[in-house]
Amino acid sequence: MNDTAIVTDSVKRFKWVGTRPIRPDGVPKVTGRALYGADLKLPGMLFGKVLRSPHAHARIRSIDTSAAEALPGVKAVVTSRDFPEQKFDYIGPERVAVNFWHVTRNIMAREKVLYEGHAVAAVAATSASIAEEAARLIKVDYEVLPHVIDVDEAMAEEAPLLFEDMITRGVEPAPSKPSNISKRLEFAIGDVDAGFQQADVIIEKTFKTAAVHQAYIEPHACVAKYEADGQCEVWSSSQGHFAMRALTAQIIGARLGDLRVTPAEIGGGFGGKTVTYLEPVAATLSKKSGLPVRLQMSREDVFRASGPTSGASMWVKIGVKKDGTIVAADGVFKFQAGAFPGSPVMNGCLCAYAPYEIPNQRAVGYDVVSNRPKAAAYRAPGSPISAFAVESVLDMCAHEIGMDPLELRLKNACHIGTPTIAGPKHAHAGYAETVQALMNHPGYKVKLGPNQGRGVASGYWFNGGGESSATLQLNADGTVLIATGSPDIGGSRASMAIMAAETLGIDYNQVRAIVADTASVGYTHVTGGSRVTFATGMAVVNATKSAIKELCARAALIWGVEADAVVWEDGFAKPASSNVGDFKPLSLKELAAKAAATGGPITTSAGVNAGGQAPGFSTQFCDVEVDPETGKVTILRFVAAQDVGRAIHPSYVEGQIQGGVVQGIGWALNEEYIYNSKGQLDNPGFLDYRCPVASDLPMIEPILVEVPNPAHPYGAKGVGEVNICPPMAAIANAIAAATGLRMTELPMSPPKVLAALSQG
């Protein structure tokens, strides 16, 4: 693909940053040699199988495992009794708080099963077939209870309760009765009521979205080996092997130092593999059996028992003046958390109006449990859901006052210093530039035909920083090894090598980047939140700068001068000035060859707790055609402009944007969890859970808007998530332009569109 970046005047040109070298993981993957979670085979390894509930909601009266334990070939059986009880306590910042009392019950049901697919027991046997037979022999006595699936129904007073003692947090005074509402949130700035009094046009609408799965290709899988001395090794496909270590240690009651977790290659995650489901179970089975255990999910298990993102019910009200000034915005966002608290509703509230300067804002959020698998992160978790509602209403406002929807967004675009709904002011620009990029795009001015329409929408995501580590090892032949603790799901190995090569001033092909296990590199937070290129990249650059300092010291030793008399330029140690002496520059390779004689191996490391991350902004437009006879929506054109800071590897950035848009198209038009009257999932597989395929899609055109982040050595901003925020609203707005009908419920599948057309 040609370089599509829009480069601002402030973007500096580099030798490697901004280029498109071949990805280092490409050959192993296309040749089939890359090892994923289910590929590892150890001597004596057992096969695990998890028994899952057929009921959406039931009390567990008893579990009889005797028949399974007596089956020849079965080496271990575990239930919730094998996991220590956890304290009921919310740990960490509110936006990402964890309660291990809930986590342990999600991994293995205790008092009740709370969704179809909830794990109740697990076995380890000498073959997969024996393990499956043993699981069938486990007898569970259930008392089936009424269930609730829909978020609005779950909030009703008469709804069956998942937890009889759950009192809504965030309400003063505390409610006297328990409910399924885990938490209420409210954020506000300005005076919303006074703001609406200034409006010439007020639009309010209700919306619903379905739960959708991340739909990664590789199901969850891991191998665990527990030694007699208490040491445990785990091989896992996840977005954060340090997080898997911490969660597993907590759940099984082990010390962090006794667990070593090695990252396997990962076949997709999109946020869904930041959660542990199998690792504590596999480790406990291995401990009981004394043998390694492999545990993996089937595709049906993935859909029934791992976290989709929330479905939601929302109400949004926005007021504008005739000149397009947005004066007030109000909204209520009710998110399904699934069986345990922890939906991304706070993110939804904080991101809802974030691209805009609106003086009066309010967002109220509800975190609501229901008999579904617990919600997990999915690419900018929470933001795409609230964006669907807010961006749809903004489109209606624009048409009501006769203003181009991009003009409306540009007029109200946030800028540095604009207050956010949580109080802090925006510290970075980039949003207005994405709007301008689309306004200047020739496709935006193309006339459309019958049954065709154009829609636009914008999105926002915080992006992350946080803790990352990296080490650098200089080999004797002048090649460089970079090791980090960030699993590579978006091209980070290439980005790390690029930044190291750029900093050292050497060829990219001299650098190899790897992902190391938890015993071989310092603590690194998960690959998520669009944090890796920013935070882990800073650790790599810092480790590289330390190596350069050491290389200069080695050159000074060889020349017999002071260390500060040596500088590093373009891969060479050079005298800082002619006064130092007439010395021939020493290359990295030459210095590496003399390392033993000048002090020994050159190895450096760095750890960061990175701050200063810049948020992501995206604005997109799409053209659609609606078939009036079938209700089928065909995407004709899709253009996505995103502020990417500086594209370290533009091909990867373009791929991230295209991938997010594709997932947004699926979310908009087809994807949904469909439950029957018993609370059982009717479409737990790719045959019936309809993800987009190539024939459903146009060529998605990414526009890379580069507004560098000054807090990063090379201007990087996270790019992996904000691209999924606008598509649902953009498509809904395009359908409205094509048909005159406003779709307010996702997915906008052919039957729903046809029904709306039939009703006029």
Side-chain angles (χ1 to χ4, degrees):
M1 179 178 291
N2 294 327
D3 190 343
T4 57
I6 295 176
V7 183
T8 63
D9 292 339
S10 60
V11 173
K12 179 183 176 182
R13 290 298 187 180
F14 294 96
K15 181 179 180 181
W16 290 108
V17 168
T19 63
R20 303 168 184 260
I22 295 174
R23 57 190 296 167
D25 58 326
V27 172
K29 288 179 176 176
V30 300
T31 58
R33 295 179 182 271
L35 296 178
Y36 293 84
D39 289 333
L40 183 67
K41 296 178 182 178
L42 296 177
M45 187 178 73
L46 303 176
F47 298 83
K49 178 67 177 179
V50 175
L51 177 67
R52 300 184 181 278
S53 168
H55 305 295
H57 193 194
R59 198 173 309 280
I60 300 175
R61 292 194 182 105
S62 65
I63 302 177
D64 182 356
T65 61
S66 57
E69 291 167 332
L71 184 69
V74 171
K75 301 300 182 182
V77 180
V78 300
T79 67
S80 62
R81 295 190 299 268
D82 295 284
F83 299 90
E85 180 62 288
Q86 301 290 325
K87 182 180 179 182
F88 189 97
D89 188 22
Y90 289 93
I91 302 170
E94 186 67 21
R95 195 162 71 87
V96 291
V98 174
N99 188 327
F100 283 101
W101 191 91
H102 293 141
V103 174
T104 193
R105 281 163 174 76
N106 193 39
I107 287 170
M108 195 66 69
R110 290 184 181 246
E111 302 84 4
K112 294 197 295 184
V113 293
L114 297 173
Y115 54 92
E116 183 209 11
H118 200 164
V120 294
V123 301
T126 53
S127 73
S129 59
I130 293 174
E132 290 177 3
E133 183 181 354
R136 288 193 295 268
L137 291 174
I138 297 173
K139 297 178 181 178
V140 184
D141 183 11
Y142 293 106
E143 176 192 349
V144 179
L145 302 170
H147 67 274
V148 62
I149 297 294
D150 179 78
V151 64
D152 290 310
E153 293 173 2
M155 293 179 70
E157 285 191 19
E158 67 278 7
L161 296 178
L162 277 69
F163 303 97
E164 289 79 5
D165 58 351
M166 179 178 283
I167 300 298
T168 305
R169 294 178 294 144
V171 177
E172 295 294 341
S176 58
K177 293 182 179 180
S179 74
N180 291 319
I181 304 172
S182 168
K183 179 174 60 178
R184 181 187 184 276
L185 301 162
E186 182 171 346
F187 301 92
I189 57 173
D191 186 330
V192 173
D193 294 334
F196 279 116
Q197 292 178 3
Q198 303 170 29
D200 297 313
V201 171
I202 297 174
I203 303 288
E204 61 179 298
K205 207 79 175 173
T206 58
F207 300 86
K208 295 203 82 164
T209 69
V212 296
H213 201 273
Q214 300 87 349
Y216 29 80
I217 297 299
E218 180 201 18
H220 296 265
C222 68
V223 174
K225 183 179 70 170
Y226 215 106
E227 301 289 2
D229 62 358
Q231 299 292 303
C232 181
E233 289 188 73
V234 176
W235 293 262
S236 173
S237 286
S238 80
Q239 292 179 235
H241 45 301
F242 283 91
M244 291 303 111
R245 182 185 67 165
L247 292 166
T248 300
Q250 180 72 32
I251 294 302
I252 69 175
R255 299 185 307 174
L256 282 175
D258 290 337
L259 264 67
R260 179 180 182 180
V261 183
T262 299
E265 288 289 353
I266 179 171
F270 313 110
K273 288 184 181 171
T274 58
V275 183
T276 183
Y277 300 102
L278 302 179
E279 288 81 1
V281 179
T284 305
L285 285 169
S286 179
K287 183 178 182 180
K288 290 191 76 172
S289 66
L291 293 167
V293 175
R294 183 169 74 195
L295 203 54
Q296 61 192 85
M297 288 188 180
S298 66
R299 178 61 59 192
E300 290 76 14
D301 291 342
V302 170
F303 276 107
R304 289 193 174 105
S306 70
T309 193
S310 304
S313 177
M314 299 171 286
W315 167 85
V316 168
K317 176 181 178 182
I318 293 177
V320 299
K321 292 184 175 181
K322 291 180 181 178
D323 67 356
T325 303
I326 306 173
V327 291
D330 200 0
V332 176
F333 305 92
K334 299 175 283 187
F335 279 34
Q336 298 163 349
F340 299 95
S343 75
V345 67
M346 179 180 285
N347 294 345
C349 291
L350 296 176
C351 294
Y353 320 119
Y356 307 108
E357 183 167 16
I358 306 174
N360 308 292
Q361 309 176 27
R362 179 167 57 207
V364 176
Y366 293 92
D367 184 43
V368 185
V369 296
S370 60
N371 296 114
R372 298 170 169 266
K374 182 182 177 339
Y378 181 19
R379 221 166 185 158
S383 182
I385 299 171
S386 58
F388 169 59
V390 170
E391 296 293 315
S392 294
V393 174
L394 280 177
D395 189 70
M396 298 166 71
C397 289
H399 288 289
E400 184 69 21
I401 63 174
M403 191 173 195
D404 180 89
L406 284 179
E407 290 281 3
L408 176 72
R409 286 165 173 80
L410 185 61
K411 181 178 181 65
N412 296 279
C414 68
H415 51 79
I416 295 174
T418 297
T420 67
I421 198 168
K425 297 178 179 179
H426 280 288
H428 297 272
Y431 172 57
E433 289 84 345
T434 68
V435 180
Q436 290 168 330
L438 293 193
M439 294 176 74
N440 295 332
H441 191 281
Y444 190 68
K445 302 170 180 65
V446 172
K447 291 186 178 181
L448 299 175
N451 302 316
Q452 297 179 352
R454 178 169 296 133
V456 307
S458 295
Y460 170 90
W461 179 244
F462 311 101
N463 289 335
E467 296 169 280
S468 285
S469 298
T471 64
L472 181 148
Q473 175 182 318
L474 179 59
N475 300 315
D477 63 356
T479 58
V480 176
L481 177 70
I482 295 290
T484 75
S486 293
D488 182 358
I489 61 173
S492 58
R493 277 172 289 198
S495 297
M496 299 305 121
I498 285 173
M499 287 184 278
E502 189 72 56
T503 306
L504 283 167
I506 62 176
D507 190 276
Y508 167 83
N509 295 300
Q510 287 182 250
V511 182
R512 183 186 178 205
I514 67 166
V515 184
D517 64 66
T518 57
S520 303
V521 72
Y523 176 82
T524 302
H525 193 43
V526 299
T527 297
S530 296
R531 62 171 294 278
V532 171
T533 302
F534 176 75
T536 307
M538 291 177 70
V540 167
V541 171
N542 289 350
T544 306
K545 288 180 177 178
S546 294
I548 289 172
K549 184 177 181 181
E550 180 63 20
L551 287 164
C552 289
R554 300 295 179 94
L557 185 64
I558 293 170
W559 292 335
V561 300
E562 295 295 324
D564 59 5
V566 182
V567 296
W568 188 264
E569 292 180 359
D570 298 324
F572 289 84
K574 300 177 181 179
S577 69
S578 58
N579 295 331
V580 175
D582 186 17
F583 299 110
K584 179 184 176 182
L586 289 169
S587 69
L588 177 72
K589 186 175 182 178
E590 291 171 316
L591 288 166
K594 297 179 179 181
T598 57
I602 298 177
T603 301
T604 59
S605 63
V608 300
N609 190 359
Q613 65 269 22
F617 296 107
S618 178
T619 304
Q620 302 169 1
F621 84 82
C622 68
D623 296 341
V624 307
E625 183 171 334
V626 181
D627 187 332
E629 296 184 356
T630 65
K632 182 180 186 297
V633 177
T634 300
I635 310 291
L636 305 174
R637 181 199 299 268
F638 211 112
V639 182
Q642 183 173 322
D643 171 27
V644 302
R646 179 178 284 112
I648 305 299
H649 190 303
S651 294
Y652 275 122
V653 175
E654 290 164 355
Q656 289 284 353
I657 294 172
Q658 290 167 328
V661 169
V662 169
Q663 290 178 313
I665 289 172
W667 199 339
L669 297 180
N670 293 108
E671 295 183 38
E672 62 178 322
Y673 268 39
I674 300 172
Y675 284 92
N676 62 27
S677 61
K678 294 182 179 180
Q680 297 166 325
L681 186 62
D682 275 346
N683 61 333
F686 284 141
L687 182 62
D688 297 309
Y689 182 90
R690 180 71 164 81
C691 289
V693 296
S695 58
D696 296 319
L697 301 166
M699 178 56 70
I700 296 162
E701 181 184 346
I703 300 177
L704 311 189
V705 178
E706 292 192 312
V707 182
N709 177 8
H712 186 272
Y714 296 112
K717 298 179 181 177
V719 302
E721 296 179 83
V722 72
N723 34 68
I724 201 175
C725 300
M728 289 76 79
I731 294 169
N733 294 339
I735 292 172
T739 65
L741 300 174
R742 173 59 57 178
M743 303 294 294
T744 59
E745 183 173 337
L746 298 183
M748 297 171 289
S749 56
K752 291 180 182 178
V753 174
L754 187 60
L757 291 170
S758 300
Q759 295 171 5

